[in-house]
Amino acid sequence: METLAVDHPLIAHKLTMLRDVHTDSPTFRRLADELVTLLAYEATRDVRVAEVTVETPLVPAQGVQLASPKPLVVPILRAGLGMLDGMTRLLPTAEVGFLGMIRDEGSLQAQTYATRLPEDLSGRQCYVLDPMLATGGTLAAAVKLLFERGADDVTAICLLAAPEGLKHMEQEFEGTRAPVRVVTAAVDSHLNDQGFIMPGLGDAGDRLYGVV
Ligand SMILES: O=P(O)(O)OC[C@H]1O[C@H](OP(=O)(O)OP(=O)(O)O)[C@H](O)[C@@H]1O
Ligand SMILES: O=c1cc[nH]c(=O)[nH]1
Ligand SMILES: [Mg+2]
Protein backbone atom coordinates (compact mmCIF):
# COMPACT_ATOMS: atom_id res chain seq x y z
CA MET A 1 0.00 0.00 0.00
CA GLU A 2 1.26 3.43 -0.93
CA THR A 3 0.53 6.67 0.97
CA LEU A 4 1.00 10.12 -0.48
CA ALA A 5 0.58 13.16 1.80
CA VAL A 6 0.50 16.02 -0.68
CA ASP A 7 2.78 18.82 0.40
CA HIS A 8 1.54 22.08 -1.11
CA PRO A 9 1.00 25.49 0.53
CA LEU A 10 -2.50 25.93 -0.97
CA ILE A 11 -3.55 22.54 0.37
CA ALA A 12 -2.11 23.36 3.81
CA HIS A 13 -3.89 26.74 3.80
CA LYS A 14 -7.28 25.27 2.91
CA LEU A 15 -6.85 22.38 5.37
CA THR A 16 -6.10 24.85 8.18
CA MET A 17 -9.34 26.71 7.42
CA LEU A 18 -11.21 23.42 7.32
CA ARG A 19 -9.92 22.47 10.76
CA ASP A 20 -11.01 25.80 12.28
CA VAL A 21 -14.06 25.30 14.50
CA HIS A 22 -15.28 28.77 13.42
CA THR A 23 -15.57 27.70 9.75
CA ASP A 24 -19.30 27.41 8.99
CA SER A 25 -20.91 24.64 6.90
CA PRO A 26 -21.13 26.54 3.58
CA THR A 27 -17.44 27.49 3.83
CA PHE A 28 -16.53 23.95 4.93
CA ARG A 29 -18.30 22.51 1.88
CA ARG A 30 -16.52 24.92 -0.46
CA LEU A 31 -13.11 24.15 1.06
CA ALA A 32 -13.66 20.38 0.91
CA ASP A 33 -14.64 20.78 -2.75
CA GLU A 34 -11.53 22.82 -3.56
CA LEU A 35 -9.23 20.49 -1.62
CA VAL A 36 -10.39 17.36 -3.37
CA THR A 37 -9.74 18.91 -6.76
CA LEU A 38 -6.17 19.70 -5.73
CA LEU A 39 -5.67 16.20 -4.26
CA ALA A 40 -7.27 14.59 -7.31
CA TYR A 41 -4.61 16.16 -9.50
CA GLU A 42 -2.01 14.00 -7.69
CA ALA A 43 -4.31 11.00 -7.19
CA THR A 44 -4.97 10.66 -10.92
CA ARG A 45 -1.33 10.74 -11.95
CA ASP A 46 -1.62 7.04 -12.95
CA VAL A 47 -5.03 7.25 -14.56
CA ARG A 48 -5.02 5.12 -17.70
CA VAL A 49 -5.02 6.92 -21.02
CA ALA A 50 -5.05 5.81 -24.65
CA GLU A 51 -3.28 7.50 -27.52
CA VAL A 52 -5.46 9.41 -29.98
CA THR A 53 -4.96 11.67 -32.93
CA VAL A 54 -6.89 14.93 -33.23
CA GLU A 55 -6.93 17.51 -35.98
CA THR A 56 -5.70 20.91 -34.91
CA PRO A 57 -6.71 23.76 -37.25
CA LEU A 58 -3.34 23.14 -38.91
CA VAL A 59 -2.27 19.48 -38.75
CA PRO A 60 -3.00 16.16 -37.05
CA ALA A 61 -1.62 16.01 -33.49
CA GLN A 62 -0.93 13.06 -31.23
CA GLY A 63 -2.51 13.18 -27.80
CA VAL A 64 -4.23 11.04 -25.19
CA GLN A 65 -7.70 10.56 -23.79
CA LEU A 66 -8.98 8.62 -20.81
CA ALA A 67 -8.88 4.92 -21.63
CA SER A 68 -11.81 2.52 -21.56
CA PRO A 69 -13.27 1.23 -19.25
CA LYS A 70 -13.89 4.59 -17.60
CA PRO A 71 -12.65 5.13 -14.05
CA LEU A 72 -15.21 4.66 -11.29
CA VAL A 73 -15.51 7.28 -8.54
CA VAL A 74 -17.02 5.98 -5.29
CA PRO A 75 -17.95 8.48 -2.56
CA ILE A 76 -18.62 6.89 0.84
CA LEU A 77 -21.84 8.39 2.20
CA ARG A 78 -22.38 10.63 3.93
CA ALA A 79 -19.23 12.69 4.21
CA GLY A 80 -17.69 11.48 0.95
CA LEU A 81 -20.53 13.15 -0.96
CA GLY A 82 -18.91 16.47 -0.06
CA MET A 83 -15.98 15.46 -2.28
CA LEU A 84 -17.89 14.25 -5.32
CA ASP A 85 -18.30 17.48 -7.29
CA GLY A 86 -14.64 18.42 -6.78
CA MET A 87 -13.60 15.02 -8.17
CA THR A 88 -15.95 14.89 -11.15
CA ARG A 89 -14.88 18.40 -12.12
CA LEU A 90 -11.48 16.86 -12.87
CA LEU A 91 -12.81 13.55 -14.25
CA PRO A 92 -16.11 14.55 -15.88
CA THR A 93 -16.46 11.34 -17.89
CA ALA A 94 -15.95 9.02 -14.90
CA GLU A 95 -18.84 6.88 -13.72
CA VAL A 96 -20.00 7.18 -10.11
CA GLY A 97 -20.94 4.37 -7.72
CA PHE A 98 -22.11 4.84 -4.14
CA LEU A 99 -21.37 3.18 -0.83
CA GLY A 100 -23.27 4.07 2.33
CA MET A 101 -21.22 3.24 5.40
CA ILE A 102 -21.45 4.28 9.03
CA ARG A 103 -19.06 3.71 11.90
CA ASP A 104 -20.68 2.63 15.17
CA GLU A 105 -19.78 5.28 17.76
CA GLY A 106 -19.14 2.68 20.48
CA SER A 107 -17.46 -0.26 18.77
CA LEU A 108 -15.96 1.88 15.94
CA GLN A 109 -16.92 -0.95 13.56
CA ALA A 110 -18.04 0.08 10.08
CA GLN A 111 -21.42 -1.09 8.73
CA THR A 112 -22.51 -0.92 5.11
CA TYR A 113 -26.11 0.29 4.67
CA ALA A 114 -26.17 0.98 0.92
CA THR A 115 -24.32 -0.39 -2.10
CA ARG A 116 -24.90 0.92 -5.61
CA LEU A 117 -21.95 -0.23 -7.68
CA PRO A 118 -21.49 -1.99 -11.02
CA GLU A 119 -21.52 -5.78 -10.40
CA ASP A 120 -18.40 -6.29 -12.50
CA LEU A 121 -15.45 -4.00 -11.86
CA SER A 122 -12.92 -6.10 -13.80
CA GLY A 123 -10.18 -3.93 -15.16
CA ARG A 124 -11.60 -0.77 -13.56
CA GLN A 125 -9.57 1.89 -11.81
CA CYS A 126 -11.54 3.08 -8.78
CA TYR A 127 -11.25 6.32 -6.80
CA VAL A 128 -12.79 6.14 -3.33
CA LEU A 129 -13.72 9.44 -1.69
CA ASP A 130 -13.92 9.75 2.10
CA PRO A 131 -12.64 12.79 3.99
CA MET A 132 -11.58 10.87 7.12
CA LEU A 133 -9.35 7.81 7.44
CA ALA A 134 -9.45 7.20 11.22
CA THR A 135 -9.23 3.54 12.36
CA GLY A 136 -9.31 2.55 8.70
CA GLY A 137 -12.22 0.12 9.22
CA THR A 138 -14.51 1.96 6.81
CA LEU A 139 -11.98 2.35 4.01
CA ALA A 140 -10.67 -1.22 4.35
CA ALA A 141 -14.23 -2.59 4.05
CA ALA A 142 -14.89 -0.38 1.01
CA VAL A 143 -11.69 -1.43 -0.77
CA LYS A 144 -12.39 -5.12 -0.07
CA LEU A 145 -15.82 -4.76 -1.61
CA LEU A 146 -14.35 -3.19 -4.75
CA PHE A 147 -11.74 -5.98 -5.00
CA GLU A 148 -14.46 -8.63 -4.57
CA ARG A 149 -16.13 -7.17 -7.67
CA GLY A 150 -12.90 -7.32 -9.65
CA ALA A 151 -11.43 -3.81 -9.36
CA ASP A 152 -7.74 -3.97 -10.14
CA ASP A 153 -6.49 -0.61 -8.91
CA VAL A 154 -7.92 1.45 -6.02
CA THR A 155 -6.92 4.95 -4.95
CA ALA A 156 -8.55 6.54 -1.90
CA ILE A 157 -8.62 10.32 -1.56
CA CYS A 158 -8.93 11.40 2.07
CA LEU A 159 -8.67 14.92 3.43
CA LEU A 160 -7.09 13.64 6.66
CA ALA A 161 -5.56 10.34 7.74
CA ALA A 162 -4.48 8.95 11.12
CA PRO A 163 -1.33 6.83 11.44
CA GLU A 164 -3.46 4.05 13.02
CA GLY A 165 -5.73 3.93 9.98
CA LEU A 166 -2.83 3.88 7.53
CA LYS A 167 -1.26 1.01 9.47
CA HIS A 168 -4.57 -0.88 9.37
CA MET A 169 -4.73 -0.39 5.59
CA GLU A 170 -1.12 -1.52 5.17
CA GLN A 171 -1.80 -4.71 7.15
CA GLU A 172 -5.02 -5.45 5.22
CA PHE A 173 -3.59 -4.86 1.77
CA GLU A 174 0.03 -5.88 2.10
CA GLY A 175 1.01 -7.99 -0.89
CA THR A 176 -2.40 -7.83 -2.59
CA ARG A 177 -2.52 -8.54 -6.33
CA ALA A 178 -3.75 -5.01 -7.04
CA PRO A 179 -2.32 -1.66 -5.98
CA VAL A 180 -3.96 0.37 -3.20
CA ARG A 181 -3.04 4.02 -2.75
CA VAL A 182 -4.09 6.62 -0.18
CA VAL A 183 -3.72 10.27 -1.16
CA THR A 184 -4.30 12.74 1.67
CA ALA A 185 -3.76 16.37 2.58
CA ALA A 186 -2.12 15.42 5.90
CA VAL A 187 -1.33 12.58 8.28
CA ASP A 188 -2.32 13.76 11.76
CA SER A 189 -0.91 12.83 15.16
CA HIS A 190 -3.14 10.04 16.53
CA LEU A 191 -6.69 8.91 17.38
CA ASN A 192 -8.30 9.90 20.67
CA ASP A 193 -10.25 7.48 22.92
CA GLN A 194 -13.42 8.00 20.83
CA GLY A 195 -11.61 7.22 17.59
CA PHE A 196 -11.44 10.84 16.42
CA ILE A 197 -8.44 12.07 14.48
CA MET A 198 -6.32 14.49 16.53
CA PRO A 199 -6.02 17.42 15.98
CA GLY A 200 -8.36 16.59 13.09
CA LEU A 201 -11.37 18.64 12.13
CA GLY A 202 -14.14 16.97 14.14
CA ASP A 203 -16.93 14.96 12.52
CA ALA A 204 -16.65 15.65 8.81
CA GLY A 205 -20.24 14.53 8.04
CA ASP A 206 -21.68 16.78 10.74
CA ARG A 207 -19.60 19.74 9.62
CA LEU A 208 -20.70 19.27 6.00
CA TYR A 209 -24.35 18.46 6.56
CA GLY A 210 -25.26 19.04 10.24
CA VAL A 211 -25.76 16.73 13.21
CA VAL A 212 -28.35 14.01 12.54
O1 LIG B 1 -11.69 5.09 9.63
P1 LIG B 1 -12.91 4.85 10.45
O2 LIG B 1 -12.62 4.69 11.91
O3 LIG B 1 -13.77 3.75 9.92
O4 LIG B 1 -13.77 6.20 10.42
C1 LIG B 1 -13.92 6.99 9.28
C2 LIG B 1 -15.36 7.06 8.87
O5 LIG B 1 -16.12 7.83 9.80
C3 LIG B 1 -16.79 8.89 9.13
O6 LIG B 1 -18.05 8.51 8.70
P2 LIG B 1 -19.28 8.37 9.71
O7 LIG B 1 -19.36 6.97 10.24
O8 LIG B 1 -19.22 9.47 10.72
O9 LIG B 1 -20.53 8.57 8.75
P3 LIG B 1 -21.08 9.92 8.07
O10 LIG B 1 -20.21 10.18 6.90
O11 LIG B 1 -22.49 9.55 7.70
O12 LIG B 1 -21.03 11.02 9.08
C4 LIG B 1 -15.87 9.17 7.96
O13 LIG B 1 -16.49 9.89 6.93
C5 LIG B 1 -15.44 7.80 7.54
O14 LIG B 1 -16.35 7.15 6.67
O1 LIG C 1 -12.07 12.36 13.37
C1 LIG C 1 -12.97 11.73 12.77
C2 LIG C 1 -13.00 10.33 12.78
C3 LIG C 1 -13.98 9.70 12.10
N1 LIG C 1 -14.91 10.43 11.43
C4 LIG C 1 -14.88 11.77 11.41
O2 LIG C 1 -15.74 12.41 10.78
N2 LIG C 1 -13.90 12.39 12.10
MG1 LIG D 1 -19.91 11.30 10.63
Side-chain angles (χ1 to χ4, degrees):
M1 215 239 1
E2 192 187 318
T3 302
L4 175 65
V6 183
D7 184 15
H8 191 290
L10 281 182
I11 290 178
H13 167 81
K14 289 178 197 296
L15 178 61
T16 305
M17 291 172 72
L18 207 62
R19 291 184 192 276
D20 189 337
V21 69
H22 300 108
T23 296
D24 61 14
S25 266
T27 312
F28 192 96
R29 285 199 286 267
R30 178 178 56 76
L31 288 164
D33 177 83
E34 291 171 0
L35 264 174
V36 72
T37 303
L38 293 171
L39 293 174
Y41 180 76
E42 287 296 338
T44 53
R45 209 168 262 290
D46 293 329
V47 72
R48 294 179 194 139
V49 290
E51 291 188 2
V52 290
T53 306
V54 293
E55 298 284 334
T56 77
L58 303 169
V59 285
Q62 298 299 318
V64 297
Q65 65 181 20
L66 288 185
S68 221
K70 292 172 187 164
L72 183 76
V73 174
V74 183
I76 299 183
L77 313 183
R78 218 177 19 152
L81 267 189
M83 300 168 73
L84 181 58
D85 285 353
M87 184 70 184
T88 52
R89 194 172 300 124
L90 215 63
L91 279 184
T93 57
E95 289 179 354
V96 182
F98 296 88
L99 272 178
M101 304 184 84
I102 184 133
R103 185 177 79 152
D104 182 87
E105 285 180 10
S107 68
L108 302 183
Q109 297 302 305
Q111 286 179 1
T112 305
Y113 60 83
T115 308
R116 192 83 164 92
L117 296 170
E119 283 298 328
D120 183 8
L121 291 175
S122 308
R124 300 288 290 267
Q125 281 186 301
C126 297
Y127 294 90
V128 178
L129 308 177
D130 193 336
M132 310 304 274
L133 171 51
T135 65
T138 303
L139 185 60
V143 174
K144 273 190 203 166
L145 219 153
L146 296 173
F147 279 162
E148 278 163 19
R149 291 186 183 220
D152 68 354
D153 181 310
V154 180
T155 300
I157 305 182
C158 303
L159 301 183
L160 274 184
E164 294 89 334
L166 289 170
K167 194 167 171 201
H168 181 152
M169 290 291 294
E170 270 158 26
Q171 286 167 348
E172 284 280 355
F173 300 107
E174 193 184 273
T176 44
R177 59 175 174 82
V180 179
R181 265 176 246 101
V182 173
V183 177
T184 184
V187 180
D188 270 9
S189 164
H190 64 281
L191 295 179
N192 72 6
D193 292 345
Q194 285 81 46
F196 274 83
I197 300 176
M198 301 297 279
L201 50 76
D203 186 303
D206 290 356
R207 295 201 63 189
L208 282 162
Y209 302 120
V211 182
V212 290

